[in-house]
């Protein structure tokens, strides 16, 4: 068989794989072929979704399981030996590997990113492919790993035998951390977006360090009971009898893995600081979960624990490193050894994309001034001033506003799915309770079916907190709606949460990221692929902040003798997270208030009955998450023009591509991956034109200003030309029925051969018989292509 006639797979099988084997690589243990390392971005179309293409490397070579060294990109022999190099380098960046190869079966182009070779790129014959030992030697030289350290780095991952393999970014995070610790780095920061498996990643890090005896006693610190319990019962379960959770302030030094709440081992009184019952050098490793919440603050009680165990290695885990003038994760831990962002997670298809519904209310934007001498619901004279958005539910309660928010949430649920898990974030406990009441009154039938349809889950309410596990359990139907304040902002693994309602003042980027993270998890078994954010208090304006998904920036105020760096306060001081103790309402009123001004020093909150002040919606708009990781702010028409222009430079280019495509749905899907929001665009354009359009006409009209035709008009034009005259009998009837189906549903429907199983086709015969009427499948496919050619005749465009 001539090499030029071989497919890419044939080149791999006959030339590349044998060359790798001859170099000494174990194909079973050290080589993965056609390795898909992402899942493909989720593209949402109305209530339907599809996945974009997963990124797939032809070969990934490993020193040992989960220690990748090299990527090989293969091409057929019509390409040059180096034509796959740029693609391979892109994969190598993602997989964090230094050695990159491209091949067309004639030899290899070798790109060495370590700088340990004679030159950057070298052409090799098929017999010159480097051995595993050679690449590992270069890798260790590049990383600065001597023999002793390299043996530590080779400590194996935990394998439960189920075939579960860490995702590529988890492997990167684990390897970077283990290498840093092996080299002697004693403060390590790991930044991973919510929902990307930080705890599982932490487990693999601890397992490798523990099994290799680099670290013999480990303390895992968190600040929420649910975080510790989830960790102990799920990801950390393999530690078995070596692990314990510190409870009731009782210390037992016979274990090796300790899990604890900060507040379980510390307190304001010295006798509560039971962590001091351990000797300062008892732990070799301290892992701090959600380390942005206080451990980086120099004056926090949490920091006292870390200072006490200062001889241990400290690893900080967070989705949101906190950087203010008062608190700095980076100043304490150093620059992150690895970061994996929300944008990357959505792009890779591991996290759910979202759309934002922004709702503006008149009293929020225009303000409200009470009539002179007005008394509130509780008999308090209302201070005479203008109240606006920043006061709502903090200093002023408009019951009509609460009612309107609850009505919009209820309307959304009834229009989509009344049983989709929903979290409503409120300003404090009092606000969360009022919202619970309003939602219950608007959904009496649901509450009658089960009183837990709506629950307030806040730090002060035992019954509500007891339902938290049921809320996050995909198998439990109730509660459906949870109203909350701070308790559910973080650490709540709500895999099936499809609606996040923001009726809370959020100025902290850290808190905003944590709240958005409640919806980003995907659960395919329960149909959770995307989610909606409904915003009533302009919180989503933080999406426009460069800090939303950028690299963390340190903000540091120098002390005497330190180099001066200008302070740059990104987060107002009053939004810095307070101490998250679970036995009090955790920050459920940002100044400790639970609502009505009870107690000394509590703020006064005026309550105005719904009958006294009306509230209405002045604007409601839907915004979508674009492929660049930002919310689309321009008009859908302008945005679509930009998306189409990336792929088609002119109308002629688009028409040629559409005409040449065997299946039009391929182009439709390609444009969706470019970011075209088909359903939203169709809804907007068809509402203006008052007629249903084909995707072809949508693009021609929106992107190239062509007058559109409806599907029915296109179908009628085909009928007028008497196109079907050359067909007889059943074949003609099938084509006529396909034309009618096109007029109803568009090109994607008729391109699916399964349509022949449906009415009216099933009345004409079985799919085999119908295809046989054309003389076989190739003839049927050809007839369908001709039909589409007639539909999209250029003269009609």
């Amino acid at each position: 068989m001539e090499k030029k006639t071989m497919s890419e797979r044939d080149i791999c099988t006959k030339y590349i794989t044998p060359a790798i084997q001859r170099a000494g690589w174990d194909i079973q243990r050290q080589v993965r072929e056609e390795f898909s390392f992402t899942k493909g971005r989720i593209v949402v179309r109305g209530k339907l979704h599809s996945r974009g293409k997963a990124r797939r490397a032809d070969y990934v070579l490993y020193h040992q399981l989960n220690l990748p060294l090299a990527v090989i990109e293969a091409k057929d022999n019509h390409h040059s030996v180096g034509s796959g190099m740029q693609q391979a380098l892109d994969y190598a960046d993602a997989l964090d590997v230094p050695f990159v190869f491209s091949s067309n079966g004639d030899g290899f182009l070798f790109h060495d990113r370590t700088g340990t070779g004679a030159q950057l790129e070298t052409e090799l014959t098929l017999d010159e492919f480097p051995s595993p030992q050679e690449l590992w030697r270069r890798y260790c030289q590049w990383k600065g790993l001597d023999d002793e350290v390299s043996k530590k780095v080779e400590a194996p991952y935990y394998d439960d035998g189920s075939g579960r393999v860490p995702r590529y970014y988890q492997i990167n995070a684990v390897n970077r951390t283990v290498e840093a610790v092996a080299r002697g780095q004693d403060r390590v920061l790991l930044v991973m977006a919510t929902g990307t498996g930080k705890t599982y990643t932490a487990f693999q890090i601890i397992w490798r360090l523990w099994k290799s005896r680099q670290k013999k006693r480990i303390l895992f610190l968190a600040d929420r009971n649910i975080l510790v319990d989830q960790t102990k019962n799920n990801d950390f379960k393999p530690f078995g009898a070596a692990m314990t959770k510190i409870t009731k302030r009782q210390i037992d030094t016979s274990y090796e893995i300790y899990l604890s709440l900060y507040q379980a081992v510390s307190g304001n009184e010295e006798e509560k600081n039971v962590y001091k019952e351990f000797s300062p050098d008892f732990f070799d490793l301290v892992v701090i979960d959600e380390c942005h919440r206080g451990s980086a603050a120099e004056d926090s009680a949490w920091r006292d624990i870390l200072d006490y165990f200062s001889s241990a290695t400290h690893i900080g885990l967070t989705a949101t490193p906190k950087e203010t003038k008062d608190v700095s994760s980076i100043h304490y831990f150093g620059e992150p050894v690895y970061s994996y962002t929300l944008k990357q997670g959505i792009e890779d298809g591991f996290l759910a994309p979202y759309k934002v519904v922004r709702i503006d209310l008149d009293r929020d934007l225009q303000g409200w001034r009470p009539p002179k001498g007005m008394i509130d619901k509780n008999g308090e004279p209302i201070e005479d001033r203008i109240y606006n958005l920043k006061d709502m539910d903090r200093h002023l309660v408009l019951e009509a506003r609460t009612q309107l928010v609850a009505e919009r949430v209820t309307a959304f649920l009834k229009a989509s799915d009344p049983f989709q898990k929903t979290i409503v974030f409120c300003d404090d406990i009092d606000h969360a309770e009022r919202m619970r009441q309003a939602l219950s009154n608007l959904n009496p039938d649901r509450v009658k079916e089960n009183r837990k349809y709506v629950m307030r889950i806040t730090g002060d309410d035992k019954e509500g907190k007891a339902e938290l596990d049921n809320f996050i359990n995909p198998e439990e139907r109730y509660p459906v709606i949870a109203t909350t304040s701070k308790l559910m902002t973080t650490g709540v693994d709500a895999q099936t949460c499809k609606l996040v309602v923001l009726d809370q003042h959020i100025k902290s980027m850290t808190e905003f990221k944590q709240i958005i993270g409640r919806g980003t998890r995907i659960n395919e078994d329960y149909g959770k692929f995307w989610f909606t954010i409904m915003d009533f208090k302009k919180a989503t304006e933080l999406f426009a902040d460069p800090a939303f998904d950028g690299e963390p920036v340190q903000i540091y105020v120098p002390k005497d003798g330190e180099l001066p760096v200008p302070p740059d306060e990104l987060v107002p001081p009053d939004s810095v997270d307070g101490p998250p103790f679970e036995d009090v309402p955790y920050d459920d009123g940002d100044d400790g208030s639970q609502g009505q001004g009870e107690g000394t020093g509590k703020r006064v909150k005026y309550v105005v009955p719904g009958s006294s002040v009306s509230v209405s919606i002045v604007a409601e708009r839907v915004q979508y998450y674009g492929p660049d990781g930002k919310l689309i702010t321009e008009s859908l028409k302008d945005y679509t023009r930009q998306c189409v222009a990336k792929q088609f430079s002119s109308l002629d280019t688009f028409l040629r591509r559409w005409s040449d495509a065997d299946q039009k749905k391929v182009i439709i899907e390609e444009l969706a991956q470019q970011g075209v929001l088909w359903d939203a665009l169709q809804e907007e354009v068809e509402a203006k034109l008052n007629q249903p359009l084909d995707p072809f006409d949508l693009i021609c009209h929106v992107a190239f200003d062509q007058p559109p035709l409806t599907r029915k008009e296109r179908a009628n034009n085909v009928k007028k030309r008497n196109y079907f005259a050359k067909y007889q009998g059943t074949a003609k009837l099938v084509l006529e029925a396909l034309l009618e189906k096109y007029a109803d549903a568009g090109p994607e429907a008729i391109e699916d051969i399964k349509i022949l199983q449906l009415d009216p086709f099933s009345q004409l015969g079985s799919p085999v018989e119908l295809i046989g009427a054309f003389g076989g499948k190739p003839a049927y496919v050809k007839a369908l292509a001709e039909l589409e050619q007639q539909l999209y005749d250029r003269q009609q465009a």
Side-chain angles (χ1 to χ4, degrees):
M1 192 178 190
E2 283 290 321
K3 192 184 283 188
K4 290 288 183 190
T5 65
M6 289 183 179
S7 67
E8 184 180 296
R9 270 290 95 200
D10 290 335
I11 293 290
C12 290
T13 303
K14 294 185 179 294
Y15 295 97
I16 299 175
T17 300
I20 296 170
Q21 285 178 300
R22 287 196 298 273
W25 294 85
D26 185 323
I27 295 297
Q28 299 301 319
R29 292 192 316 106
Q30 293 182 297
V31 180
R32 277 188 182 166
E33 285 193 62
E34 296 190 284
F35 174 51
S36 294
F37 57 91
T38 71
K39 296 199 76 173
R41 177 193 173 95
I42 291 172
V43 179
V44 181
R45 293 187 59 190
K47 294 184 179 180
L48 304 175
H49 77 279
S50 61
R51 280 196 181 269
K53 284 186 179 178
R55 298 172 78 190
R56 187 177 73 179
D58 290 320
Y59 293 85
V60 180
L61 307 186
Y62 296 81
H63 171 62
Q64 62 184 43
L65 186 65
N66 297 321
L67 275 174
L69 292 178
V71 169
I72 305 174
E73 180 59 29
K75 296 295 179 187
D76 63 37
N77 204 245
H78 288 286
H79 293 82
S80 67
V81 70
S83 65
M85 181 53 72
Q86 291 194 139
Q87 187 178 349
L89 286 168
D90 182 48
Y91 293 163
D93 277 339
L95 296 171
D96 205 20
V97 299
F99 306 116
V100 192
F101 298 86
S102 172
S103 179
N104 64 351
D106 291 339
F108 295 94
L109 182 64
F110 174 30
H111 184 107
D112 182 0
R113 304 166 81 194
T114 67
T116 57
Q119 59 188 44
L120 186 66
E121 290 194 351
T122 312
E123 284 207 28
L124 306 174
T125 67
L126 290 173
D127 293 324
E128 291 176 328
F129 194 84
S131 68
Q133 296 78 16
E134 170 64 13
L135 291 191
W136 178 244
R137 182 191 64 77
R138 289 198 191 191
Y139 180 89
C140 292
Q141 183 183 341
W142 174 53
K143 290 280 189 175
L145 311 177
D146 58 28
D147 288 345
E148 183 183 348
V149 174
S150 67
K151 284 185 173 60
K152 294 177 181 178
V153 168
E154 291 177 300
Y157 281 67
Y158 172 76
D159 183 358
D160 62 3
S162 68
R164 179 184 183 183
V165 177
R167 293 170 177 169
Y168 82 90
Y169 62 85
Q170 293 170 337
I171 289 174
N172 294 347
V174 173
N175 290 341
R176 289 268 193 106
T177 304
V178 170
E179 286 172 6
V181 172
R183 287 196 303 266
Q185 188 172 326
D186 57 6
R187 299 290 181 269
V188 179
L189 179 62
L190 204 51
V191 179
M192 294 172 67
T194 300
T196 55
K198 285 194 301 295
T199 312
Y200 173 70
T201 303
F203 162 71
Q204 288 288 6
I205 291 167
I206 294 170
W207 180 269
R208 290 179 64 188
L209 296 174
W210 180 59
K211 276 295 183 181
S212 63
R213 308 314 287 167
Q214 293 176 65
K215 305 296 178 185
K216 298 173 184 175
R217 292 197 187 101
I218 294 106
L219 173 62
F220 180 88
L221 282 173
D223 69 344
R224 301 276 176 89
N225 239 327
I226 190 170
L227 293 177
V228 175
D229 291 340
Q230 282 179 352
T231 300
K232 182 173 183 285
N233 298 330
N234 298 322
D235 288 321
F236 279 37
K237 199 171 184 178
F239 287 123
M243 173 177 60
T244 187
K245 176 186 173 183
I246 299 174
T247 56
K248 299 179 181 177
R249 301 191 181 275
Q250 294 175 357
I251 301 298
D252 182 344
T253 59
S254 63
Y255 293 90
E256 295 184 52
I257 312 291
Y258 292 79
L259 283 69
S260 178
L261 291 169
Y262 288 94
Q263 50 269 41
V265 292
S266 65
N268 296 328
E269 298 156 17
E270 186 58 32
E271 65 266 20
K272 291 185 177 179
N273 290 323
V274 295
Y275 65 86
K276 292 183 179 178
E277 292 181 29
F278 294 107
S279 64
D281 59 356
F282 183 83
F283 292 109
D284 307 302
L285 174 64
V286 180
V287 178
I288 306 98
D289 193 25
E290 305 292 357
C291 68
H292 64 278
R293 282 209 303 272
S295 61
E298 293 186 16
D299 59 351
S300 71
W302 308 10
R303 185 67 168 268
D304 291 340
I305 302 172
L306 301 186
D307 288 343
Y308 184 78
F309 298 118
S310 60
S311 63
T313 299
H314 295 174
I315 299 175
L317 307 172
T318 183
T320 51
K322 172 154 279 189
E323 300 304 322
T324 73
K325 70 173 187 178
D326 302 309
V327 181
S328 173
S329 304
I330 292 174
H331 179 56
Y332 182 77
F333 290 101
E335 291 291 332
V337 294
Y338 187 72
S339 294
Y340 187 74
T341 65
L342 173 65
K343 178 181 174 182
Q344 289 172 289
I346 292 174
E347 191 60 41
D348 287 343
F350 295 123
L351 294 179
Y354 50 85
K355 67 179 180 180
V356 175
V357 180
R358 287 182 173 171
I359 300 173
D360 295 330
L361 307 180
D362 58 350
R363 301 298 179 183
D364 295 349
L365 301 187
Q366 299 162 11
W368 174 76
R369 184 176 181 178
K372 189 174 182 180
M374 186 175 185
I375 305 296
D376 85 340
K377 191 175 181 178
N378 300 304
E380 292 276 349
I382 302 176
E383 182 187 350
D384 183 14
R385 66 179 179 85
I386 295 174
Y387 296 84
N388 54 29
L389 179 61
K390 69 178 186 295
D391 299 297
M392 297 301 168
D393 300 303
R394 299 176 67 173
H395 303 107
L396 178 73
V397 173
L398 297 180
E399 291 186 340
R401 187 188 182 284
T402 306
Q403 180 69 16
L404 184 56
V405 170
E407 285 173 2
R408 295 308 299 155
V409 173
T410 300
F412 181 91
L413 292 174
K414 286 182 176 178
S416 48
D417 173 11
F419 288 95
Q420 60 186 293
K421 295 286 175 113
T422 300
I423 306 177
V424 184
F425 286 98
C426 304
D427 272 304
D428 54 28
I429 291 173
D430 168 64
H431 186 196
E433 173 55 25
R434 285 186 288 106
M435 190 60 69
R436 183 200 66 78
Q437 292 174 26
L439 286 164
S440 295
N441 287 332
L442 288 166
N443 295 275
D445 294 341
R446 301 296 178 195
V447 175
K448 190 176 179 181
E449 287 172 18
N450 190 307
R451 66 179 181 82
K452 295 178 181 178
Y453 181 77
V454 186
M455 292 289 292
R456 170 168 62 89
I457 301 179
T458 51
D460 70 318
D461 188 86
K462 286 184 179 178
E463 185 174 359
K465 284 172 70 177
E467 291 300 322
L468 186 53
D469 282 345
N470 288 331
F471 181 82
I472 66 179
N473 184 351
E475 296 180 3
E476 292 291 338
R477 192 170 202 180
Y478 300 99
V480 174
I481 306 173
T483 68
T484 189
S485 177
K486 301 290 185 186
L487 187 66
M488 297 177 70
T489 57
T490 186
V492 178
D493 188 7
Q495 297 175 22
T496 53
C497 177
K498 291 185 178 181
L499 178 62
V500 174
V501 179
L502 305 179
D503 197 27
Q504 183 183 103
H505 294 87
I506 305 168
K507 293 181 180 177
S508 160
M509 181 60 73
T510 300
E511 188 174 7
F512 180 63
K513 283 186 178 182
Q514 292 286 351
I515 286 174
I516 297 308
R518 297 314 101 214
T520 53
R521 287 173 173 83
I522 292 170
N523 189 314
E524 298 190 12
D525 294 338
Y526 289 86
K528 162 67 186 301
F529 293 93
W530 72 91
F531 71 107
T532 302
I533 300 165
M534 188 177 283
D535 180 18
F536 291 92
K537 283 186 176 159
K538 293 186 174 291
T540 53
E541 288 182 353
L542 286 167
F543 278 125
D545 192 315
F548 175 66
D549 203 28
E551 293 300 312
V553 178
Q554 182 176 14
I555 304 166
Y556 175 55
V557 177
K559 296 178 181 176
D560 290 343
E562 293 177 335
L563 291 173
V565 178
D568 185 9
E569 182 179 324
L570 290 183
V571 184
D574 65 351
S575 66
V576 173
D577 299 316
F581 291 86
E582 283 199 296
D583 53 354
V584 298
Y586 163 55
D587 201 25
D588 273 314
D590 37 292
D591 57 2
S593 166
Q594 292 189 47
Q596 304 281 339
E598 69 260 329
T600 307
K602 303 299 185 187
R603 68 167 184 255
V604 174
K605 184 186 289 185
Y606 304 111
V607 180
V608 180
S611 58
S612 301
V613 181
S614 65
V615 180
S616 61
I617 294 171
V618 293
E620 182 168 347
R621 60 202 181 280
V622 179
Q623 291 183 294
Y624 298 86
Y625 182 93
D628 60 353
K630 296 178 182 177
L631 280 179
I632 299 160
T633 53
E634 66 264 51
S635 72
L636 270 177
K637 190 170 181 178
D638 289 343
Y639 171 73
T640 303
R641 282 177 185 268
Q642 293 171 23
C643 290
V644 173
K646 291 175 189 173
Q647 195 155 348
F648 303 108
S649 58
S650 66
L651 175 62
D652 280 345
T653 311
F654 172 69
L655 293 174
R656 276 197 302 273
R657 177 82 169 84
W658 187 270
S659 177
D660 293 344
D662 291 334
Q663 288 198 314
K664 312 308 177 193
K665 70 176 182 181
V666 173
I667 300 175
I668 294 168
E669 287 170 1
E670 282 176 4
L671 286 168
Q673 288 179 34
Q674 287 287 347
V676 172
L677 301 160
W678 285 109
D679 289 271
L681 182 66
Q682 204 152 12
E683 189 178 329
E684 184 176 294
V685 174
E686 289 179 1
K688 288 179 182 175
L689 299 177
N690 197 28
Q691 55 186 15
L693 296 184
D694 184 286
F696 173 84
D697 283 285
L698 267 178
I699 294 301
C700 288
H701 177 61
V702 170
F704 302 110
D705 295 318
Q706 298 296 303
L709 292 176
T710 65
R711 291 194 297 267
K712 195 164 187 179
E713 286 172 333
R714 288 192 175 278
N716 286 337
N717 285 339
V718 174
K719 290 176 184 175
K720 287 175 190 173
R721 290 198 297 274
N722 200 24
Y723 163 69
F724 300 122
K726 64 179 182 176
Y727 292 96
Q728 301 296 323
T730 303
K732 184 178 181 181
L733 293 174
V734 169
L735 287 171
E736 288 173 343
L738 283 171
L739 192 62
E740 291 301 320
K741 281 291 182 185
Y742 163 80
D744 288 339
E748 291 170 285
I750 65 173
E751 287 176 350
D752 188 345
I753 202 165
K754 290 179 182 175
I755 199 172
L756 298 180
Q757 299 172 9
L758 308 176
D759 282 341
F761 303 97
S762 59
Q763 297 173 17
L764 301 174
S766 69
V768 172
E769 290 170 335
L770 298 183
I771 291 171
F774 289 87
K777 188 174 180 181
Y780 170 77
V781 171
K782 184 182 177 185
L784 180 60
E786 287 176 356
L787 174 60
E788 287 191 321
Q789 241 175 350
Q790 291 292 316
L791 283 166
Y792 300 112
D793 187 294
R794 274 192 172 205
Q795 292 176 356
Q796 296 183 50

